[in-house]
């Protein structure tokens, strides 16, 4: 497992130190960290980072709220529990690229039904940056909220029922029980859910690729790495982007696990 992961990463690290295009293999030249300097001083990198951060922050925040609501429903409902759980999980079972096409066709001018339903006339959702990001983020929320709700459901079953009953006996309101009993006992599950979804959202590629092709400043970091490596066959700069993307993923994981003191071993449960 380590070898399978380490070899591509090590090879990308080596390639990132060369000026190397597949169209000019004989012109391969060692340039040290020049590719990193070029990438980090290019506004395209920072635009992609800004787009990725925007999608990540908004989608994870909304998913956390919706996911908790869904988890609560799945936890408390007595009748039709299996049916409700299945219905909530359906979006997560759809392949990401397929769901991206579904959302693209729904919002397109020629094939979409959204404008007709909401009386928006000929508004082009994919003609501007923020409307494009709105659709991309909305599709992310729809697709992956079930995942975060499953993790939160595992945390909900860990909340001691006797504490809930004791809080009721003491006269605590529903809001007070949520703040003082439920959320503190779900801290590890919440942090793990946010960590996993943040790392997943930070690597977003399919939705921008299918919906906008990176137009209107909707290019993400993964998309930028793809464009450099595959479209432009600039393996040196593309590898530098890939290594930097990997470094940001490691940094995010470090912040969540160390700074927020997340203990993964605390998350156990049977949904």
């Amino acid at each position: 497992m380590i070898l399978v992961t380490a070899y591509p990463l090590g090879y990308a690290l080596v390639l990132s130190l060369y000026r190397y295009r597949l169209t000019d293999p004989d012109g391969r030249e060692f340039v040290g960290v020049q590719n990193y300097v070029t990438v980090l001083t290019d506004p395209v990198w920072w635009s992609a980072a800004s787009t990725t951060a925007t999608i990540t922050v908004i989608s994870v925040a909304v998913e956390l709220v919706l996911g908790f609501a869904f988890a609560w429903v799945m936890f408390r409902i007595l009748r039709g529990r299996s049916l409700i759980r299945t219905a909530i999980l359906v979006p997560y079972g759809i392949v990401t690229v397929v769901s991206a096409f579904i959302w693209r066709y729904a919002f397109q001018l020629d094939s979409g039904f959204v404008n007709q339903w909401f009386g928006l006339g000929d508004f082009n959702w994919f003609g501007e940056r923020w409307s494009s990001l709105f659709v991309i983020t909305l599709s992310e929320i729809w697709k992956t909220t079930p995942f975060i709700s499953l993790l939160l459901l595992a945390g909900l079953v860990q909340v001691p029922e006797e504490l809930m009953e004791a809080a009721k006996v003491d006269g605590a309101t529903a809001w007070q029980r949520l703040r003082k009993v439920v959320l503190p006992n779900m801290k590890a599950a919440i942090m793990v859910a946010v960590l996993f979804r943040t790392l997943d959202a930070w690597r977003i590629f399919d939705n921008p690729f299918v919906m906008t092709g990176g137009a209107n400043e909707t290019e993400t970091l993964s998309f930028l790495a793809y464009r450099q490596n595959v479209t432009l066959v600039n393996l040196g700069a593309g590898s530098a982007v890939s290594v930097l993307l990997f470094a940001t993923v490691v940094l995010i994981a470090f912040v969540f696990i160390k700074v927020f003191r997340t203990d993964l071993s605390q998350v156990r449960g049977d949904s």
Side-chain angles (χ1 to χ4, degrees):
M1 183 68 180
I2 294 176
L3 288 177
V4 171
T5 305
Y7 177 76
L9 178 61
Y11 191 55
L13 186 60
V14 172
L15 285 180
S16 69
L17 303 177
Y18 285 84
R19 180 182 294 115
Y20 181 30
R21 285 181 178 273
L22 277 182
T23 53
D24 183 25
D26 294 334
R28 178 170 172 167
E29 178 186 5
F30 181 79
V31 293
V33 297
Q34 183 58 48
N35 285 325
Y36 292 97
V37 174
T38 301
V39 169
L40 292 175
T41 55
D42 193 332
V44 173
W45 162 267
W46 295 107
S47 174
S50 171
T51 299
T52 306
T54 300
I55 295 173
T56 300
V57 171
I58 295 176
S59 62
V60 172
V62 175
E63 287 170 22
L64 184 61
V65 176
L66 291 179
F68 182 82
F70 288 150
W72 188 264
V73 170
M74 288 189 289
F75 180 62
R76 286 298 181 188
I77 193 169
L78 298 178
R79 293 184 178 180
R81 178 177 294 179
S82 298
L83 180 62
I84 294 295
R85 289 182 178 181
T86 302
I88 290 175
L89 293 175
V90 165
Y92 193 63
I94 299 176
V95 178
T96 304
V97 69
V98 174
S99 74
F101 273 108
I102 292 173
W103 282 83
R104 172 186 163 185
Y105 291 140
F107 280 83
Q108 266 188 333
L109 278 176
D110 53 353
S111 60
F113 55 83
V114 174
N115 282 10
Q116 183 180 357
W117 281 11
F118 295 97
L120 297 176
D122 58 353
F123 179 74
N124 184 5
W125 289 91
F126 300 114
E128 299 177 1
R129 169 179 164 81
W130 291 108
S131 56
S132 299
L133 289 181
F134 173 78
V135 179
I136 291 171
T137 306
L138 197 60
S139 66
E140 274 287 293
I141 294 170
W142 177 80
K143 174 73 172 60
T144 52
T145 294
F147 170 74
I148 211 167
S149 67
L150 273 183
L151 294 178
L152 294 179
L153 178 61
L156 268 176
V157 300
Q158 299 299 308
V159 179
E161 192 62 33
E162 55 270 23
L163 287 181
M164 294 289 288
E165 294 299 328
K168 283 183 181 179
V169 172
D170 291 341
T173 63
W175 175 245
Q176 289 172 329
R177 293 197 299 272
L178 176 66
R179 288 178 55 243
K180 303 293 185 182
V181 179
V182 177
L183 293 182
N185 284 282
M186 290 182 61
K187 181 181 176 182
I190 292 172
M191 294 308 300
V192 171
V194 173
L195 169 62
F196 283 7
R197 262 306 292 150
T198 299
L199 295 180
D200 187 41
W202 190 254
R203 298 179 292 108
I204 181 174
F205 172 80
D206 307 64
N207 287 331
F209 181 80
V210 171
M211 294 185 194
T212 64
N216 302 317
E217 299 181 71
T218 58
E219 189 174 67
T220 61
L221 291 177
S222 294
F223 198 121
L224 178 60
Y226 163 82
R227 187 162 61 83
Q228 289 291 333
N229 281 305
V230 179
T231 306
L232 302 177
V233 293
N234 188 354
L235 300 187
S239 297
V241 172
S242 301
V243 172
L244 288 172
L245 176 60
F246 174 78
T248 57
V249 169
V250 173
L251 178 63
I252 291 171
F254 176 82
V255 169
F256 272 85
I257 294 176
K258 295 298 183 183
V259 176
F260 293 99
R261 302 181 185 279
T262 303
D263 185 358
L264 303 182
S265 64
Q266 293 182 18
V267 184
R268 299 190 182 94
D270 182 10
S271 61

